[in-house]
Amino acid sequence: MSGKAKEILQMDLYGLLGIGSSATTKEIKKAYRQKALTCHPDKNPDNPKAAELFHQLSQALEVLTDAAAKAAYDKIRAAKKQAEERNKKLDDKRKKIKLDLEARERRAEVQSQEEVQITRTLEEEIARLREEGSRQLEEEQRLIREQIQREREAQQQPGNYIQIGGERYSQSNATPKLKLKWKCKKDDELNGGYSQDILLKLLHKYGDVLNVIVSSKKKGSAVVEFASVRAAELAVKNESGLSGNPLKITWLEGQPEDVAAASQTGHFVSSQSSLSNERDYETVVMMRMRQAAERQRLIEQMQREDDEEAAKS
């Protein structure tokens, strides 16, 4: 058995990540990011144990996100658990009987042979992962490093925050953010009919929503962070919220420069004047027409889906 396989078998990979054995790949990655951020060597330069824990978390991610390696690890884990349960059930008196001892020895020998075969499978999968270069692990670690860098930059620029309803939000990320407002009385426990889940349901149809923060200090206020500018644009243009209490949506961060210029001047004259010749201008116009048609098609599709869901309910 290789040293790496022995090291992995001695660890509780699920316990390291704080998840159950039934966790999905998405849940495994999420748990890894949360744990890795706290013990990354760049954040803990004076803690020698941080690097070792970060290495163990990386090994857990590497094995549990690969179907074949995870299956081999789970099989060994289940076999060990069954053996422990069998040993617990053995009667102290029967342990003194020779025949029972011989029977246990035979079972242990068979089990050992099975574990050797299963361990060999795990070693082969680990070797395959090493040969492939573990691109997934490298990508996850790259994202961790980028996030740490963004946090450092935010700490070095104390003015890089915005104040909304008594709460501070970081502007260090480049993802688009929108400010949501609606009518709500101070003593309204339902917050005007809007909760985080309801806002997510209203907004996710325009694209991936990274985060929704409902202000706990100022009623009727929230911030939503989209994964793409296009999704944020569609939400600003098309979402009106609940019929009895409409939403007011404005840009908070990440607004496209051409849209921002249009909101100030009312047209795109500056864009047109910067074109080098008439052909370039016609190309841009055609591109914008296609983008507008695509947005309209997407809106109509979402409307049809909403109508179908309403009819089913």
mmCIF file of all heavy atoms in Angstrom, residues 168-185:
data_model
loop_
_atom_site.group_PDB
_atom_site.id
_atom_site.type_symbol
_atom_site.label_atom_id
_atom_site.label_comp_id
_atom_site.label_asym_id
_atom_site.label_seq_id
_atom_site.Cartn_x
_atom_site.Cartn_y
_atom_site.Cartn_z
ATOM 1 N N ARG A 168 -23.092 47.711 5.871
ATOM 2 C CA ARG A 168 -21.994 47.927 4.944
ATOM 3 C C ARG A 168 -21.852 46.731 4.027
ATOM 4 O O ARG A 168 -21.899 45.589 4.468
ATOM 5 C CB ARG A 168 -20.677 48.148 5.708
ATOM 6 C CG ARG A 168 -20.707 49.351 6.610
ATOM 7 C CD ARG A 168 -19.432 49.459 7.414
ATOM 8 N NE ARG A 168 -18.340 49.972 6.619
ATOM 9 C CZ ARG A 168 -17.118 49.491 6.640
ATOM 10 N NH1 ARG A 168 -16.836 48.464 7.378
ATOM 11 N NH2 ARG A 168 -16.157 50.029 5.907
ATOM 12 N N TYR A 169 -21.633 47.001 2.738
ATOM 13 C CA TYR A 169 -21.440 45.951 1.739
ATOM 14 C C TYR A 169 -20.159 46.245 0.969
ATOM 15 O O TYR A 169 -19.906 47.385 0.569
ATOM 16 C CB TYR A 169 -22.630 45.888 0.757
ATOM 17 C CG TYR A 169 -23.955 45.647 1.429
ATOM 18 C CD1 TYR A 169 -24.783 46.697 1.793
ATOM 19 C CD2 TYR A 169 -24.364 44.347 1.720
ATOM 20 C CE1 TYR A 169 -26.001 46.468 2.422
ATOM 21 C CE2 TYR A 169 -25.583 44.105 2.337
ATOM 22 C CZ TYR A 169 -26.399 45.167 2.686
ATOM 23 O OH TYR A 169 -27.588 44.945 3.293
ATOM 24 N N SER A 170 -19.373 45.181 0.760
ATOM 25 C CA SER A 170 -18.105 45.331 0.052
ATOM 26 C C SER A 170 -18.325 45.507 -1.437
ATOM 27 O O SER A 170 -19.198 44.888 -2.033
ATOM 28 C CB SER A 170 -17.218 44.107 0.289
ATOM 29 O OG SER A 170 -16.091 44.155 -0.534
ATOM 30 N N GLN A 171 -17.492 46.384 -2.076
ATOM 31 C CA GLN A 171 -17.538 46.573 -3.515
ATOM 32 C C GLN A 171 -16.329 45.939 -4.198
ATOM 33 O O GLN A 171 -16.048 46.231 -5.357
ATOM 34 C CB GLN A 171 -17.573 48.057 -3.860
ATOM 35 C CG GLN A 171 -18.774 48.810 -3.283
ATOM 36 C CD GLN A 171 -18.829 50.222 -3.784
ATOM 37 O OE1 GLN A 171 -19.408 50.494 -4.817
ATOM 38 N NE2 GLN A 171 -18.204 51.126 -3.067
ATOM 39 N N SER A 172 -15.605 45.040 -3.475
ATOM 40 C CA SER A 172 -14.372 44.498 -4.020
ATOM 41 C C SER A 172 -14.612 43.512 -5.149
ATOM 42 O O SER A 172 -13.759 43.287 -5.970
ATOM 43 C CB SER A 172 -13.577 43.813 -2.904
ATOM 44 O OG SER A 172 -14.351 42.770 -2.341
ATOM 45 N N ASN A 173 -15.790 42.873 -5.189
ATOM 46 C CA ASN A 173 -16.086 41.922 -6.251
ATOM 47 C C ASN A 173 -16.550 42.644 -7.496
ATOM 48 O O ASN A 173 -17.180 43.699 -7.435
ATOM 49 C CB ASN A 173 -17.168 40.943 -5.789
ATOM 50 C CG ASN A 173 -16.665 40.063 -4.670
ATOM 51 O OD1 ASN A 173 -15.473 39.777 -4.624
ATOM 52 N ND2 ASN A 173 -17.546 39.638 -3.787
ATOM 53 N N ALA A 174 -16.271 42.055 -8.646
ATOM 54 C CA ALA A 174 -16.642 42.673 -9.908
ATOM 55 C C ALA A 174 -18.026 42.242 -10.359
ATOM 56 O O ALA A 174 -18.486 42.658 -11.408
ATOM 57 C CB ALA A 174 -15.609 42.318 -10.980
ATOM 58 N N THR A 175 -18.707 41.391 -9.606
ATOM 59 C CA THR A 175 -20.015 40.913 -10.022
ATOM 60 C C THR A 175 -21.055 42.027 -9.881
ATOM 61 O O THR A 175 -20.971 42.862 -8.980
ATOM 62 C CB THR A 175 -20.443 39.712 -9.160
ATOM 63 O OG1 THR A 175 -20.283 40.050 -7.774
ATOM 64 C CG2 THR A 175 -19.612 38.501 -9.495
ATOM 65 N N PRO A 176 -22.066 42.062 -10.768
ATOM 66 C CA PRO A 176 -23.074 43.127 -10.735
ATOM 67 C C PRO A 176 -23.996 42.978 -9.525
ATOM 68 O O PRO A 176 -24.394 41.872 -9.168
ATOM 69 C CB PRO A 176 -23.828 42.924 -12.050
ATOM 70 C CG PRO A 176 -23.630 41.496 -12.392
ATOM 71 C CD PRO A 176 -22.258 41.144 -11.916
ATOM 72 N N LYS A 177 -24.336 44.101 -8.921
ATOM 73 C CA LYS A 177 -25.212 44.108 -7.750
ATOM 74 C C LYS A 177 -26.325 45.137 -7.964
ATOM 75 O O LYS A 177 -26.089 46.211 -8.510
ATOM 76 C CB LYS A 177 -24.421 44.444 -6.478
ATOM 77 C CG LYS A 177 -23.319 43.455 -6.161
ATOM 78 C CD LYS A 177 -22.550 43.877 -4.931
ATOM 79 C CE LYS A 177 -21.387 42.908 -4.653
ATOM 80 N NZ LYS A 177 -20.377 42.964 -5.725
ATOM 81 N N LEU A 178 -27.516 44.793 -7.510
ATOM 82 C CA LEU A 178 -28.678 45.657 -7.632
ATOM 83 C C LEU A 178 -29.234 45.956 -6.245
ATOM 84 O O LEU A 178 -29.138 45.144 -5.330
ATOM 85 C CB LEU A 178 -29.773 44.990 -8.481
ATOM 86 C CG LEU A 178 -29.390 44.546 -9.892
ATOM 87 C CD1 LEU A 178 -30.574 43.891 -10.568
ATOM 88 C CD2 LEU A 178 -28.878 45.716 -10.730
ATOM 89 N N LYS A 179 -29.831 47.134 -6.118
ATOM 90 C CA LYS A 179 -30.482 47.528 -4.881
ATOM 91 C C LYS A 179 -31.987 47.395 -5.059
ATOM 92 O O LYS A 179 -32.545 47.889 -6.039
ATOM 93 C CB LYS A 179 -30.106 48.957 -4.514
ATOM 94 C CG LYS A 179 -30.709 49.438 -3.195
ATOM 95 C CD LYS A 179 -30.254 50.844 -2.883
ATOM 96 C CE LYS A 179 -30.843 51.332 -1.561
ATOM 97 N NZ LYS A 179 -30.425 52.718 -1.261
ATOM 98 N N LEU A 180 -32.644 46.699 -4.134
ATOM 99 C CA LEU A 180 -34.083 46.479 -4.199
ATOM 100 C C LEU A 180 -34.764 47.257 -3.075
ATOM 101 O O LEU A 180 -34.293 47.264 -1.948
ATOM 102 C CB LEU A 180 -34.414 44.989 -4.057
ATOM 103 C CG LEU A 180 -33.613 43.998 -4.921
ATOM 104 C CD1 LEU A 180 -34.063 42.581 -4.640
ATOM 105 C CD2 LEU A 180 -33.782 44.322 -6.395
ATOM 106 N N LYS A 181 -35.898 47.910 -3.414
ATOM 107 C CA LYS A 181 -36.677 48.632 -2.412
ATOM 108 C C LYS A 181 -38.151 48.321 -2.610
ATOM 109 O O LYS A 181 -38.604 48.102 -3.738
ATOM 110 C CB LYS A 181 -36.433 50.140 -2.511
ATOM 111 C CG LYS A 181 -35.126 50.606 -1.888
ATOM 112 C CD LYS A 181 -35.088 52.122 -1.814
ATOM 113 C CE LYS A 181 -33.847 52.608 -1.069
ATOM 114 N NZ LYS A 181 -33.827 54.083 -0.956
ATOM 115 N N TRP A 182 -38.885 48.288 -1.516
ATOM 116 C CA TRP A 182 -40.337 48.096 -1.581
ATOM 117 C C TRP A 182 -40.964 48.715 -0.330
ATOM 118 O O TRP A 182 -40.272 49.025 0.631
ATOM 119 C CB TRP A 182 -40.686 46.606 -1.683
ATOM 120 C CG TRP A 182 -40.210 45.796 -0.522
ATOM 121 C CD1 TRP A 182 -40.856 45.537 0.641
ATOM 122 C CD2 TRP A 182 -38.919 45.156 -0.404
ATOM 123 N NE1 TRP A 182 -40.088 44.772 1.474
ATOM 124 C CE2 TRP A 182 -38.905 44.504 0.853
ATOM 125 C CE3 TRP A 182 -37.808 45.047 -1.230
ATOM 126 C CZ2 TRP A 182 -37.812 43.781 1.299
ATOM 127 C CZ3 TRP A 182 -36.724 44.319 -0.778
ATOM 128 C CH2 TRP A 182 -36.729 43.700 0.459
ATOM 129 N N LYS A 183 -42.264 48.898 -0.358
ATOM 130 C CA LYS A 183 -42.955 49.512 0.756
ATOM 131 C C LYS A 183 -43.091 48.513 1.900
ATOM 132 O O LYS A 183 -43.475 47.360 1.689
ATOM 133 C CB LYS A 183 -44.338 49.993 0.328
ATOM 134 C CG LYS A 183 -44.288 51.156 -0.663
ATOM 135 C CD LYS A 183 -45.696 51.624 -1.017
ATOM 136 C CE LYS A 183 -45.651 52.782 -2.004
ATOM 137 N NZ LYS A 183 -47.011 53.240 -2.370
ATOM 138 N N CYS A 184 -42.781 48.963 3.103
ATOM 139 C CA CYS A 184 -42.873 48.084 4.267
ATOM 140 C C CYS A 184 -42.924 48.920 5.548
ATOM 141 O O CYS A 184 -42.110 49.838 5.736
ATOM 142 C CB CYS A 184 -41.672 47.132 4.315
ATOM 143 S SG CYS A 184 -41.717 46.007 5.724
ATOM 144 N N LYS A 185 -43.896 48.615 6.398
ATOM 145 C CA LYS A 185 -43.994 49.310 7.673
ATOM 146 C C LYS A 185 -42.975 48.744 8.660
ATOM 147 O O LYS A 185 -42.576 47.592 8.566
ATOM 148 C CB LYS A 185 -45.413 49.152 8.242
ATOM 149 C CG LYS A 185 -46.480 49.811 7.369
ATOM 150 C CD LYS A 185 -47.867 49.632 7.981
ATOM 151 C CE LYS A 185 -48.928 50.283 7.101
ATOM 152 N NZ LYS A 185 -50.289 50.105 7.679
#
